[in-house]
Amino acid sequence: MQYYSKQISDLIGELTTLPGVGSKSAQRLAFYILNMPRDRANSLAKSIIDARENVKFCKECFTLTDRDVCPICQSAKRNKRQIMVVEDTRDLVAYEKVGKYEGVYHVLNGTMNPMQGIGPNDIRIKELFERLQKEEVEEVIIATNSTTEGEATAMYITKLIKPSGIKVTRIASGVPVGGDLECIDEVTLLRALEGRQEL
Amino acid sequence: MQYYSKQISDLIGELTTLPGVGSKSAQRLAFYILNMPRDRANSLAKSIIDARENVKFCKECFTLTDRDVCPICQSAKRNKRQIMVVEDTRDLVAYEKVGKYEGVYHVLNGTMNPMQGIGPNDIRIKELFERLQKEEVEEVIIATNSTTEGEATAMYITKLIKPSGIKVTRIASGVPVGGDLECIDEVTLLRALEGRQEL
């Protein structure tokens, strides 16, 4: 039995497929959209189409961008001999916001995840090696997340690069700044201990 | 400084305006959309436009529907002498899902809220009175939410209808079925006591 008219059900159905949107919040969003001024609803729809149509992968680093080559890869100010490997464009932006990193990036667009059938060929690892062969790179900084999949991906890439003699580093893991020791999990505490540095 | 390309920022900006979507979840949704197959992103956008273009208020009861008069108001099986007043279409659907109510509805599309400048003329109260004058109605069941605004709206409507001699009722408030007394707030407990019925 259909309680809502077709367009409302369709909209709720589409919204339910989004991550973190359950059936209750899909209904709430749908009714919010139905009550929006028409031009705002159109501009929301347009932004979805525009983004999906015009955003593509940078040919160099595979970040999401509207150009063939992203502004970072095009910039003469960035150090092309240092490549930071990140999982996705949001991680790149997180480091760009810090504003201290002057090298370039390589965006994997995923992590290896055998449980979901995502192997090394499903993320941009091959493209990373092509860059390492083509360009003169001194250091690869692996900045995948500190999750099981992120760590496994970091290890896999490290093993493959090591023989070439290029320096491979991993961003530090440990207690976050401002973090309260008693609230932090055991694995992180152990990592922080292992990674201790002399003062 | 713009870290994302324009289309991505625009999409994140549009998504941030939705209720319950903060900047982090807008980013997550935006990247999910960017990674959707193109036809799925188009169908999401289309469902927003379709709903906003085709859904309107029923001329009788002001529920959101794609017809001039909604299926409930059109149905010969529904008792037109009993009108249940609800705040919005979702509340109507909640009672339709129960499936026991055989009367019709009147959807206010809001509640009176002086703090937000929403007065009686901003919701469909006038239209309710026009119905009561035009049709022969025996009972108005007020089913606005049990919130401050819902209660104030219920009182306001009651005062206006009473003089006409039409029976006005309010849905019961009390302990929800399956509710644990010790977890229920004092106002609800008091209401449940006041509304006690002989067994």
Side-chain angles (χ1 to χ4, degrees):
Chain A
M1 164 98 200
Q2 185 146 19
Y3 298 105
Y4 289 116
S5 72
K6 186 179 176 307
Q7 294 88 344
I8 303 180
S9 308
D10 285 354
L11 178 57
I12 294 172
E14 290 285 348
L15 293 169
T16 311
T17 66
L18 298 175
V21 179
S23 81
K24 282 276 169 200
S25 41
Q27 281 189 40
R28 192 159 50 102
L29 287 173
F31 279 86
Y32 182 84
I33 290 170
L34 287 167
N35 287 306
M36 271 180 171
R38 189 161 299 191
D39 57 336
R40 285 223 22 241
N42 284 337
S43 104
L44 170 62
K46 193 172 162 297
S47 73
I48 292 171
I49 294 173
D50 274 2
R52 193 60 196 80
E53 292 289 321
N54 297 310
V55 174
K56 51 199 168 187
F57 294 117
C58 165
K59 281 180 178 171
E60 296 281 324
C61 76
F62 300 94
T63 191
L64 289 165
T65 177
D66 53 353
R67 313 196 197 169
D68 281 343
V69 175
C70 77
I72 295 171
C73 288
Q74 275 182 336
S75 166
K77 288 182 187 159
R78 307 297 292 235
N79 175 6
K80 299 275 163 68
R81 290 163 178 253
Q82 210 175 28
I83 297 182
M84 183 188 285
V85 177
V86 293
E87 289 182 17
D88 69 25
T89 302
R90 275 170 295 179
D91 299 333
L92 177 158
V93 167
Y95 261 102
E96 282 303 287
K97 282 185 176 164
V98 175
K100 295 289 184 196
Y101 176 65
E102 293 175 339
V104 291
Y105 295 90
H106 187 85
V107 183
L108 295 173
N109 288 289
T111 39
M112 285 163 54
N113 188 338
M115 300 288 283
Q116 291 182 17
I118 305 172
N121 295 326
D122 300 312
I123 59 178
R124 303 286 185 169
I125 291 183
K126 197 176 80 235
E127 290 83 352
L128 173 62
F129 283 90
E130 287 166 7
R131 286 179 75 178
L132 297 183
Q133 273 152 15
K134 229 171 41 191
E135 299 157 35
E136 221 169 294
V137 175
E138 284 164 3
E139 182 181 2
V140 173
I141 302 165
I142 304 184
T144 52
N145 289 330
S146 200
T147 55
T148 316
E149 293 80 19
E151 295 291 358
T153 308
M155 291 226 286
Y156 182 88
I157 295 174
T158 309
K159 273 190 189 164
L160 284 181
I161 301 181
K162 274 280 182 185
S164 69
I166 298 171
K167 186 175 169 189
V168 186
T169 57
R170 176 93 175 100
I171 55 166
S173 55
V175 179
V177 179
D180 193 344
L181 281 200
E182 68 181 29
C183 302
I184 290 168
D185 65 287
E186 293 170 19
V187 180
T188 304
L189 288 177
L190 189 60
R191 282 283 181 83
L193 182 63
E194 288 168 354
R196 68 191 181 278
Q197 299 193 334
E198 208 174 316
L199 298 175
Chain B
M1 163 98 198
Q2 186 147 22
Y3 297 105
Y4 290 115
S5 72
K6 187 179 176 306
Q7 294 88 345
I8 303 181
S9 308
D10 286 353
L11 179 57
I12 293 172
E14 291 284 350
L15 293 170
T16 311
T17 67
L18 297 175
V21 179
S23 80
K24 281 279 168 197
S25 41
Q27 281 190 38
R28 193 158 49 102
L29 286 174
F31 279 86
Y32 182 84
I33 290 169
L34 286 167
N35 288 305
M36 272 181 171
R38 189 160 297 191
D39 58 335
R40 282 222 25 237
N42 284 338
S43 104
L44 170 62
K46 194 172 163 294
S47 73
I48 292 171
I49 295 174
D50 273 3
R52 192 61 196 76
E53 293 288 321
N54 297 310
V55 174
K56 50 198 170 189
F57 294 117
C58 166
K59 281 181 178 169
E60 296 280 322
C61 75
F62 300 92
T63 191
L64 289 166
T65 176
D66 53 354
R67 315 197 196 166
D68 282 342
V69 175
C70 77
I72 295 171
C73 289
Q74 275 182 337
S75 167
K77 289 181 187 158
R78 308 295 294 234
N79 176 6
K80 299 275 162 67
R81 291 164 177 253
Q82 207 174 30
I83 296 183
M84 183 187 286
V85 178
V86 292
E87 289 183 17
D88 69 25
T89 303
R90 275 170 295 180
D91 300 333
L92 176 157
V93 167
Y95 262 102
E96 283 302 287
K97 281 185 178 165
V98 174
K100 294 289 185 196
Y101 176 66
E102 291 173 342
V104 293
Y105 295 91
H106 187 85
V107 183
L108 296 173
N109 288 290
T111 39
M112 286 162 54
N113 188 338
M115 301 289 283
Q116 291 182 17
I118 305 172
N121 294 327
D122 300 312
I123 58 177
R124 304 285 186 169
I125 291 183
K126 198 176 81 236
E127 289 83 351
L128 174 61
F129 284 89
E130 287 167 5
R131 285 179 77 177
L132 297 182
Q133 274 151 14
K134 228 171 40 186
E135 298 158 36
E136 222 169 294
V137 175
E138 284 164 2
E139 182 180 2
V140 173
I141 302 166
I142 305 184
T144 52
N145 289 330
S146 201
T147 56
T148 317
E149 293 80 20
E151 296 290 358
T153 309
M155 292 224 289
Y156 182 88
I157 295 174
T158 309
K159 273 188 187 162
L160 285 181
I161 300 180
K162 274 279 183 188
S164 69
I166 296 171
K167 185 175 168 188
V168 186
T169 57
R170 176 94 174 101
I171 55 166
S173 56
V175 179
V177 179
D180 193 344
L181 281 199
E182 66 181 29
C183 301
I184 290 167
D185 66 287
E186 294 169 19
V187 181
T188 303
L189 288 178
L190 189 61
R191 282 284 181 83
L193 183 63
E194 286 168 356
R196 67 189 181 279
Q197 299 192 335
E198 208 175 313
L199 298 175

